[in-house]
Amino acid sequence: MTKNRRISLYIYCKVGGSWKYRKAPERLKDLTDGSSYVLMWYQGEDANGKPRKRTLNVGKLVDLAKIEIAKKKAELLNRIVDGKEPPEPEQLIVAGPQKVVHTVKDAIEKFLGECQDRCGQDGYGFAKRSLIVYRRSLAYLREFGGETPLVSLDEQFFKTYRRWLREHPKKISDRSCHNILLTANTMARTNGITAGKKVLAEMSFPPKPCHPYSAEELRMFFAVCSPHEALVYKFFLLSGGREQEVANTEIRDLHFGKNVLHISPKPERGFRLKSKKGSAALGRKVPLPSAFMLQLQEHCKGKKPHDLVFPNRQGGIEGHFLRECQSVAKRAGLTGFELHRFRKTFATQMHEGGRVGSADPKLVGAYRSGYHPYLLRRAGLGG
């Protein structure tokens, strides 16, 4: 039986540039709210027969700390029956060392590790792209207060963090500040801390407009494109595909006999459709103009069904569509060109043409046969 049953109260504070535990004064009435209080006691024995130290974070309120001390004393006294302590309950032993989370930095490492474990090999589960964003966002939190005790994450901490983000040398926008703080709040909630919710509710930012390209902008853009560049960005324009959807399009997705593109997930490439569940996760079919499909058919000659339509120089996923798009726009003397604006243009013109959600077979037939007045022809580019 463990002889030392004394419960001690410690304060987790910064001493000489590092965070340490300091024993609290004997007289509890000398304590003040705001410090991070931790209970320490010995209970049971370790594998070597030595007393096992236990700790319990009890928050930052003195009254709460007093209550927890009394509860823990009563609990330990009730464990002694006829002068003997009952055996410790069996515990689940997890392979590998288990790091105790004390600071914000520890919590970030644990959170990112759990997100990493949830990432699937086939692109499902937790999205790898989200993991990259989480790492980038939480790097700011680590820079701001990585050594801060986790129990100190209260509303004032999040308000100070928000002010620090807004005054950051990188000139972080209001939208980015909100998203970075949202990630920090998500991490905190996994540790039972909800103090950031109110601070997030106080934040706002202007909506991000996404205007479709005008016919003149498209004409100027495609006028300076090389044949390959024109084929790539017409594909974005006519399919309404997102960047990763276009990058992962394979030859087998092009149904030349029907003039249809099948945008589908590629588990073998670790690619899934964005935010799609159920039957929508299987993909969607987009009709393409027949004249453009003939150009694609010529481009795809000699390629195998699982080859990418627009690979990089090594035959893998192309990751520089945006950079090349902006390079073309610069040559044309244009600014503000983004890949997503091609998708916006596609949706806007299809809506104006009455084709979104339309089941009229005449319209669908005309579209598949190459009738595309609101995009290429208005820009003077032909089919």
Side-chain angles (χ1 to χ4, degrees), residues 190-204:
T190 62
N191 291 278
I193 300 171
T194 59
K197 183 177 180 180
K198 184 177 179 180
V199 180
L200 273 172
E202 297 171 350
M203 301 181 70
S204 61

Side-chain angles (χ1 to χ4, degrees), residues 37-106:
Y37 295 110
V38 180
L39 294 184
M40 289 190 183
W41 72 97
Y42 288 93
Q43 180 179 333
E45 297 178 346
D46 59 18
N48 298 321
K50 296 182 179 180
R52 179 180 294 172
K53 181 184 286 188
R54 306 297 179 93
T55 62
L56 175 67
N57 293 326
V58 293
K60 305 175 74 172
L61 300 177
V62 176
D63 290 340
L64 181 59
K66 293 177 181 178
I67 293 172
E68 291 296 333
I69 290 174
K71 286 171 59 178
K72 184 55 64 177
K73 284 182 177 179
E75 177 186 330
L76 294 180
L77 287 173
N78 291 335
R79 288 177 61 86
I80 301 178
V81 181
D82 296 331
K84 295 182 180 180
E85 182 178 355
E88 291 288 319
E90 292 186 5
Q91 297 182 356
L92 178 64
I93 299 177
V94 182
Q98 300 298 303
K99 186 173 182 178
V100 178
V101 176
H102 287 307
T103 65
V104 170
K105 181 174 64 176
D106 296 335

